[in-house]
Amino acid sequence: MELFGQLAYGFELAITPQNLLFCFLGALIGTLVGVLPGLGPVATIAMLLPITFTLPPVAALIMLAGLYYGAQYGGSTTAILVNIPGESSSVVTCLDGHAMARKGRAGAALAIAALGSFFAGTVATFIIAIFSAPMVWIASTFQSPDYFGLMIFGLIAAVVLAQGSVVRSIVMVLVGLVLGLVGTDITTGQSRFTFGIPQLSEGISFVALAMGLFGVGEVISNLARTFGKPEVQPVTSLWPNREEARRATPAVLRGTAIGSLLGVLPGGGALIASFGAYVIEKKWSKRPQEFGNGAVEGVAAPEAANNAGAQTSFIPLLTLGLPSNAVMALMLAAMTIHGIVPGPKLMVERPDLFWAMIASMWIGNLMLVIINLPLIRLWVMLLNVPYRYLYLAILIFCCIGAYSVNNSTFDVMVMALFGVVGYLLPKIGCEPAPLILGVILAPHIEENFRRSLVVSRGSWWIFLERPVCAGFLLVSLLFMLAVLLPSIRKGREEAFRE
Amino acid sequence: MSSEEAPRLSAEIGRGWRGKTDLWAGVATILFAASALYISADYGLGRAGRIGAGYVPLVAGLLLLGLGGLLLLRAGRSREAVDTDIAWRPLLLVVGGIVTFALLLDRAGLIVAIIATVIVAGPAAYGNTILSLLMSGVILSAFSWSLFVYFLKISIPVWWF
């Protein structure tokens, strides 16, 4: 039972008064920002990143994980009570969660979401603990061509599984790749795309870019909409009745399974997990007509799934160093700022960090239940603060956040520029999420590509000779063909329309 | 967000090829690709065993050029209409506010920068008055100072001296 020994070790490290405090603060602040409509987890984490700068790495990571789950869960509260999805993965929670709230079952919906998420989080914590060691073992046999193949596969899968047009998503990835190359090329020492600006020689600040695209862009489009005073449904009893509990339990189990699986996939994570779980619940239900009108399963399964998915998406990041979605890309950037390089070596070289973080994921989930249910009235109050005050605070926090990564006002300008880009991209039907993945993976892809060709003395066959790499490239190719075939494309579009 | 905008987008279907997202995305892609190719033209491609700094930009640029062309070709039978509704007031004021922050921070310090940013970006939302903005600015700068400077000890200039 080595696993339990390692988990116990992690808990020993994580349960210090200081770490518990930061975990609590992270979950609390994350929920606070997550409850506010119109700021997703990416913007929330980017905005609050500077808070963790002065902390020791373990505490910082624990706080970031808390922030992430908090932001995730806070979105569900808003979805249930006001019918505004705080972020994209709680879009489906709006459907049945808000319908339940309208029927006077808001408390039950919130409790099912919280307890379902907690259960899913607990299972996902164990899944990470169990599968990390074999993943690390596999990853340690990887060489440059294999990493190259893996990253290409990751990007392609992310594009295929993401929402919207495949061609435009690939364009976004490639634009991201080019933006990711800005700065001094490590191998040749040549400056690329820097326009002679010294601040660009170390590349575009990832945090400023993410905050511009997701935070500032979102603020502008929120301001463009006229907000009425949100109609918040009252919360009465917090306990689900017997019938609701009976229906929720199997749905939570199914949601956890689906979410854990979809979370590991590149491009997966919370969003696709919640959508997938909802579609499956509806298809398999004996009462599909109830969906959209307050079906308990329609809250329980997606909420469990998005939490499970949010958590298992850490597996590729922690074991392979490969971020599978925009939030993980930001986590990677945050880890780099703290001098931690995720990947197969992390578990071997910094077992303290690795296991403490896994333990803290569970603690973070527990904190969420503790924070959310008793404090629900506080969140309701927060929902009544007018947006015309909120967005000013968001902007100021973004500005300070962008500045403090490199102590550079140039980065604040970069954020402003990408704010404009982030506002305009959806207008022409482009999603910024694949772009972020391209930016963060660009240097790694180029480096592994380069090294592979050095090893093979310039022969391209190396990518096909290594079975792992060839396998990844083959699957990527099949994925591409699959989405370009009209029949499957239709099926995919239907799945997202649900 | 996209689910809310869906009905408005579908209402605009049939406006002719000029209003198609694919057209605008295609044009933007080609412009981006062309400038990337132009800028990276003299970066050097290297040899097969030692690829140069220009290799990956070239590949990415060419792929982008092709995909941009594909988007343009597709625009004729595409059904997705572009959202031409640009909220200039929030766009300009929010961006203006951020630029104000960037320009003032090193020269005048955090407190002044925050108050100025709030005053510039504030009129982006209806209902904000100069008095409410001044109040917001003072409260936000006091809060930011206590959180970031006093509590978290992040190095950031507070005043101009």
Side-chain angles (χ1 to χ4, degrees):
Chain A
M1 286 284 93
E2 198 194 353
L3 173 70
F4 287 99
Q6 285 163 328
L7 274 177
Y9 171 59
F11 275 106
E12 220 169 273
L13 290 167
I15 303 182
T16 66
Q18 189 205 17
N19 287 351
L20 282 180
L21 175 72
F22 285 118
C23 191
F24 173 78
L25 283 179
L28 185 76
I29 302 171
T31 313
L32 199 132
V33 182
V35 164
L36 304 176
L39 265 197
V42 180
T44 308
I45 298 172
M47 190 170 94
L48 299 173
L49 199 53
I51 301 182
T52 70
F53 282 174
T54 42
L55 303 180
V58 174
L61 284 186
I62 287 174
M63 189 167 180
L64 283 171
L67 274 175
Y68 177 30
Y69 305 137
Q72 186 85 33
Y73 185 77
S76 311
T77 306
T78 317
I80 291 170
L81 294 179
V82 218
N83 202 22
I84 296 173
E87 17 91 18
S88 45
S89 71
S90 45
V91 168
V92 281
T93 309
C94 278
L95 302 171
D96 284 289
H98 189 65
M100 277 182 79
R102 285 192 167 276
K103 287 180 182 166
R105 303 299 303 159
L110 288 168
I112 287 171
L115 296 173
S117 296
F118 177 63
F119 174 80
T122 308
V123 173
T125 304
F126 274 101
I127 292 179
I128 299 178
I130 293 166
F131 285 100
S132 290
M135 286 283 277
V136 165
W137 182 79
I138 294 171
S140 63
T141 67
F142 279 16
Q143 293 174 7
S144 302
D146 307 328
Y147 270 110
F148 174 76
L150 175 70
M151 285 173 195
I152 296 293
F153 167 72
L155 285 178
I156 300 272
V159 160
V160 171
L161 294 172
Q163 265 175 301
S165 149
V166 177
V167 179
R168 269 175 270 164
S169 299
I170 300 176
V171 166
M172 285 292 102
V173 166
L174 287 168
V175 169
L177 274 180
V178 175
L179 294 176
L181 294 179
V182 172
T184 311
D185 178 20
I186 332 162
T187 318
T188 62
Q190 201 165 343
S191 290
R192 291 189 286 188
F193 305 108
T194 54
F195 304 99
I197 301 168
Q199 286 96 330
L200 279 179
S201 65
E202 280 181 34
I204 297 174
S205 158
F206 186 78
V207 174
L209 178 127
M211 227 171 341
L213 284 178
F214 287 91
V216 178
E218 229 10 35
V219 165
I220 299 172
S221 52
N222 282 336
L223 285 169
R225 272 180 255 155
T226 41
F227 269 99
K229 203 173 158 57
E231 190 192 334
V232 184
Q233 298 294 323
V235 181
T236 45
S237 155
L238 266 179
W239 292 107
N241 59 34
R242 197 175 287 252
E243 162 74 3
E244 283 163 339
R246 197 183 54 73
R247 287 176 62 179
T249 311
V252 166
L253 291 175
R254 284 191 293 264
T256 305
I258 295 163
S260 306
L261 198 70
L262 289 176
V264 188
L265 295 182
L271 174 67
I272 190 161
S274 63
F275 273 80
Y278 189 80
V279 172
I280 289 177
E281 279 306 313
K282 195 176 173 184
K283 261 201 181 126
W284 285 2
S285 172
K286 290 185 203 107
R287 302 165 270 216
Q289 73 283 358
E290 277 184 30
F291 279 78
N293 300 316
V296 178
E297 295 89 347
V299 180
E303 278 301 312
N306 82 30
N307 208 40
Q311 219 152 317
T312 55
S313 55
F314 271 103
I315 295 179
L317 179 66
L318 290 177
T319 60
L320 302 170
L322 182 77
S324 54
N325 56 39
V327 180
M328 289 303 124
L330 197 65
M331 280 286 178
L332 174 61
M335 288 179 170
T336 318
I337 289 173
H338 283 285
I340 302 157
V341 185
K345 282 185 191 146
L346 180 68
M347 195 173 154
V348 186
E349 284 170 6
R350 294 296 306 271
D352 55 328
L353 234 155
F354 187 87
W355 292 104
M357 188 161 169
I358 289 178
S360 71
M361 288 178 178
W362 187 81
I363 300 171
N365 276 294
L366 183 68
M367 293 278 182
L368 279 185
V369 177
I370 298 173
I371 290 171
N372 272 290
L373 295 179
L375 291 183
I376 192 69
R377 270 164 239 291
L378 181 74
W379 309 133
V380 172
M381 256 166 58
L382 201 65
L383 281 170
N384 285 317
V385 177
Y387 195 71
R388 66 173 196 271
Y389 299 131
L390 284 179
Y391 84 95
L392 291 171
I394 294 170
L395 276 188
I396 296 297
F397 273 59
C398 284
C399 286
I400 297 176
Y403 171 81
S404 56
V405 180
N406 298 321
N407 284 343
S408 147
T409 51
F410 179 80
D411 287 353
V412 182
M413 293 287 197
V414 169
M415 180 181 78
L417 174 72
F418 281 100
V420 179
V421 176
Y423 173 66
L424 293 178
L425 278 183
K427 303 255 170 205
I428 55 170
C430 295
E431 292 281 327
L435 191 152
I436 291 272
L437 277 185
V439 173
I440 198 112
L441 285 180
H444 303 279
I445 289 184
E446 188 182 40
E447 195 190 332
N448 285 300
F449 181 67
R450 211 172 231 162
R451 266 199 224 148
S452 310
L453 287 179
V454 169
V455 171
S456 76
R457 299 209 177 88
S459 162
W460 281 67
W461 288 109
I462 190 167
F463 297 109
L464 299 178
E465 278 160 6
R466 298 266 324 161
V468 179
C469 174
F472 278 130
L473 291 179
L474 184 71
V475 178
S476 315
L477 190 70
L478 289 177
F479 261 51
M480 282 316 299
L481 287 177
V483 281
L484 295 173
L485 289 177
S487 57
I488 301 179
R489 194 165 63 196
K490 249 176 223 148
R492 175 173 168 275
E493 276 164 13
E494 261 158 38
F496 278 117
R497 201 167 297 141
E498 289 282 346
Chain B
M1 187 187 108
S2 52
S3 60
E4 281 169 39
E5 282 174 1
R8 197 171 73 212
L9 284 178
S10 57
E12 288 178 25
I13 286 175
R15 247 199 200 171
W17 62 276
R18 253 184 251 105
K20 297 298 162 50
T21 47
D22 275 340
L23 175 80
W24 289 99
V27 170
T29 306
I30 289 174
L31 285 177
F32 182 88
S35 13
L37 286 172
Y38 178 75
I39 297 168
S40 66
D42 55 352
Y43 287 172
L45 296 179
R47 294 178 281 109
R50 278 183 72 92
I51 60 163
Y55 198 93
V56 176
L58 178 75
V59 174
L62 289 178
L63 282 172
L64 275 172
L65 213 54
L67 289 169
L70 185 68
L71 283 171
L72 282 189
L73 286 178
R74 227 170 60 158
R77 55 186 180 84
S78 144
R79 304 201 319 158
E80 210 181 70
V82 73
D83 179 6
T84 48
D85 217 8
I86 291 175
W88 288 106
R89 186 183 161 109
L91 179 65
L92 293 176
L93 292 177
V94 165
V95 171
I98 300 172
V99 172
T100 308
F101 185 90
L103 291 176
L104 282 179
L105 187 64
D106 283 337
R107 296 180 177 89
L110 183 71
I111 309 293
V112 176
I114 288 179
I115 295 173
T117 303
V118 165
I119 289 171
V120 172
Y126 292 98
N128 280 337
T129 61
I130 185 72
L131 194 70
S132 78
L133 288 178
L134 273 173
M135 291 255 294
S136 306
V138 170
I139 293 170
L140 274 172
S141 53
F143 179 76
S144 306
W145 178 82
S146 41
L147 178 64
F148 293 104
V149 180
Y150 183 77
F151 188 65
L152 294 168
K153 300 190 170 51
I154 283 171
S155 73
I156 192 165
V158 181
W159 302 106
W160 51 88
F161 40 81

